Amino acid sequence: MRTAVISILVAVTLFSCLRKEKNATLGAADVRFDAYKGRFIESMLALRPEMAIGLGRHEYDTAWSIPDDGYRTKLHAWYKAMLDSLHTYDPNALNPGNRTDWQILTAECQSGLWYLDTLRTFEWNPAQYNIADEVAGILTGTYAPLDIRLHRLGVRLQGVAAYYAAARSNIIKPTFEHTLLAIAQNKGTADLIRNDLIDSLKHSSLSPEEKEQIFKRAESAVTSIDDYVTYLEKELLPTLKGDQVRSFRLGESLYEQKFHHDIQAGLTAKQLYEKALLRKAYLHQEMFRISTDLWPTYFPGTTPPADTLSRISAMIGKLSLKHVRPDSFLVAIQQQIPQLETFIREKDLLYLDPDKPLLVRRTPAYMEGVAGASISAPGPFDKQGNTYYNVSTLENYSPEDAENYLQEYNNYILQILNIHEAIPGHYTQIVYANQSPSLVKSIFGNGAMIEGWAVYTERMMLEEGYGGNSPEMWLMYYKWNLRVTCNTILDYGVHVQGMTEADAMDLLVKQAFQKETEARGKWKRVTLSQVQLTSYFSGFTEIYDLREALKLKKGSEFRLRQFHEEFLSYGSAPVKVIRELMLNK
Ligand code: ZN
C-alpha cells in the first residue's frame, strides 16, 4: 500500500510539471480547442463502440457498429464533418501540445477517409471481421464483477448474427491469404465462446434463468461464427483462383499512400527503403568484424570462411546453440523481467511504475497466427486493467521446428526480445502513454513511434552496458537489428517490387541469418500485412536521430533519463511531432 502511494505521488509530480508548462501558454484558442477535443473523442467513441471497449470505456459493452453500407456512410460523413470543424482552428494559434493534437486529429480523419474510399479493406480482408477482442475484453476484464460482465456479454451476443451477415455481404474479391487467416482466427473465436465463456458462466452466481438465457445466446453466436467460417471455407475459398483472387501485394501507388497515412514519417517509403539498404551493408560490415575477432575463441585452430556472409553465419550458428529447453521458454521469460527492472533502476535510465504488474501468459488461441510474442495492454480509460505479455508455446511444434525456433530465440536474442516487448520497451511505453496529458496522443497511437521506441531501447540498453558489452551480445544485437532493417526491405520488396517467396527466403535466411521457421513466419506475415513491417526501422531511426540532435543541442546538460521520460510523456504521437515539441523548447 505504501509503495502505491509513493508511486502515485511520483507520477503526479512528473505529469503536473508538464501540465503547468502547457497551462502557462493556454490562450483562448487553446481553451476552445481543449473542449473540441473532448467532443471529437466522445462522438467518435459513440460511432465506434468496439474501439471504445478496447480503450476501456465499458459503458459501450453492449453497443455495436454493424459494418454495413449505412454504417460506412455515417462514418464517412463524420470524418468529413470533423475535418471541416478542425479547419475552423488556426493551428499556429494553438500551443505546441494542442497544435500537434490538431495535426494528429487531422491526419486521423484523412486516413479514415482514405481507408473507406481507396483502400477498402472491408471488401477484401475477411479477417477484419472478428468479435474476439470485445468478447475477451469483457470476459477477462477487471473493471466490474463477473456477473455484471456476463450480463452485458449476454446482451452483446444478440448482435453477433447481424454482424457476421454484414461481414459476408461486404466481401468482394478477397485475397486467398486473408481468407485463410479469417477461417483460422474465427475458429479460435468460436472456441473462446464455447470454452471460456461457458466456463465463466458455470462459476458465476447469476440466476439459473439468466445463465440459461446467456447460454442460448452464446450457442447461437457460435452458430453465426461457424456459418461464416463454413461460408469462407467451403463456398468462397474454392473460387479464389485466377481473376477472382486479389493479390495480397499492394503495388507502388497504394503502398506509398498507406505508408503516408500509417507511418507519418518525414520520409517516403522509397527513401526509407533506400536507407534500409545502406543500413544492411553497414551491419554486415560490423558483424564480419566481430565474427573475425571471435573466431579463434569459438573455432580454435581453424581457418574462417573467406566469404563475409558464410563467416558471420558460422559464428551466429555457434552462438545460437546456447538456448533454453522447449518446456522452459515461458519460465525463462518470466525470470528475466525482474533482472531488466533492476538494471534500469541501477543505471537510472527511466522511472518504472512498480504498481503496474506485467503478467506473462501463453498466447490465447484467438490471437495465435501472426507474432511469436506480443503485449496486450489496457487502454487509457482502463488504467487498472492487467497488462499481459503473450508468449506462443512450442507445444504444437515438431522437435525439429522447436529446435529451429529456440536457436532463433537463443540466450542472447531472448534477452533482446524481452527488452523490446517488455522492459523498457512496449510495456513501459504503454504505462507512460496511458498517463499522457493528451488523450488524443494516447488514443491515436502511432505504430512507428511505438515500435520505434521498442527497437530504440534494445540499442540503448546495450550502449548502457546491458550484457556486459560482450562482443557476442553485440553480434546478436546486430543480427536482431538486421531483422528490423530487412523487415523494411522485405515489405517494400514484396508489395512494391514483386519480390518472390524464394527471393524473400534468400534475403531472410542467407542475408539476415534467420532460421527457416522464422523466415517462413515472416513471409506469411508480409502476405497478411502491408507497411506495418516498416514501422520498426522507421521509428527507430527517427528516435535515434532525435536523441543525437538533442545531445548536440544541450551538450553537457543532456540527461538520458530526462530524454526518455519526456519523450514518453507525450504519448504515442508520431516521432516527427514529438521531435518538433522537444527541439523547439
Ligand atoms: Zn514490437
Side-chain angles (χ1 to χ4, degrees), residues 158-366:
Q158 291 174 281
V160 175
Y163 176 85
Y164 280 101
R168 203 170 141 158
S169 62
N170 284 341
I171 298 166
I172 308 166
K173 223 176 161 183
T175 80
F176 184 79
E177 292 75 11
H178 292 93
T179 307
L180 281 185
L181 180 69
I183 293 166
Q185 289 190 331
N186 275 288
K187 280 180 178 171
T189 305
D191 284 344
L192 173 75
I193 297 176
R194 233 181 250 129
N195 305 326
D196 299 30
L197 174 60
I198 301 302
D199 196 49
S200 297
L201 210 49
K202 282 182 194 145
H203 292 99
S204 81
S205 43
L206 291 169
S207 70
E209 293 76 31
E210 185 160 16
K211 278 189 186 179
E212 182 58 24
Q213 188 188 45
I214 298 174
F215 182 75
K216 284 202 172 119
R217 286 173 183 170
E219 266 191 326
S220 90
V222 167
T223 306
S224 298
I225 299 170
D226 286 346
D227 287 350
Y228 181 62
V229 169
T230 307
Y231 165 70
L232 296 177
E233 205 166 20
K234 301 282 187 294
E235 289 184 46
L236 200 58
L237 206 57
T239 68
L240 297 182
K241 294 176 198 129
D243 286 350
Q244 282 315 299
V245 59
R246 179 191 168 106
S247 169
F248 64 83
R249 298 176 203 271
L250 222 47
E252 185 168 11
S253 169
L254 276 180
Y255 190 90
E256 277 291 355
Q257 292 174 57
K258 193 168 194 282
F259 182 85
H260 168 77
H261 289 294
D262 291 0
I263 304 290
Q264 298 180 51
L267 303 176
T268 64
K270 189 160 191 260
Q271 287 168 332
L272 186 75
Y273 167 74
E274 281 158 1
K275 211 171 167 172
L277 289 178
L278 290 175
R279 176 80 182 162
K280 184 175 74 141
Y282 168 80
L283 290 170
H284 278 165
Q285 185 192 317
E286 282 300 290
M287 292 169 89
F288 183 70
R289 182 182 59 75
I290 298 175
S291 300
T292 304
D293 290 350
L294 285 176
W295 196 268
T297 311
Y298 287 90
F299 300 96
T302 65
T303 311
D307 169 59
T308 305
L309 295 180
S310 304
R311 188 178 301 183
I312 300 169
S313 176
M315 185 52 68
I316 284 174
K318 189 82 174 173
L319 297 179
S320 300
L321 295 175
K322 297 182 184 179
H323 62 74
V324 298
R325 290 159 42 92
D327 54 358
S328 52
F329 191 62
L330 197 71
V331 178
I333 289 176
Q334 274 164 333
Q335 287 170 347
Q336 271 175 28
I337 304 300
Q339 294 166 9
L340 289 167
E341 288 174 336
T342 305
F343 182 84
I344 289 161
R345 293 212 167 91
E346 281 174 6
K347 294 276 176 174
D348 199 28
L349 298 178
L350 80 171
Y351 170 72
L352 293 175
D353 189 342
D355 250 21
K356 303 266 191 271
L358 176 65
L359 306 171
V360 184
R361 69 172 180 188
R362 55 182 292 178
T363 309
Y366 65 87

Side-chain angles (χ1 to χ4, degrees), residues 373 420-421 426 450-451 454-455 532 536:
H420 178 105
E421 294 293 339
H426 288 317
I450 292 169
E451 287 304 343
V455 175
Q532 196 273 338
Y536 307 81

Side-chain angles (χ1 to χ4, degrees), residues 6 18 86 174 254 404 446 461 576:
I6 292 168
L18 290 167
L86 279 162
L254 276 180
N404 250 328
N446 176 267
M461 288 287 276
K576 69 173 178 187

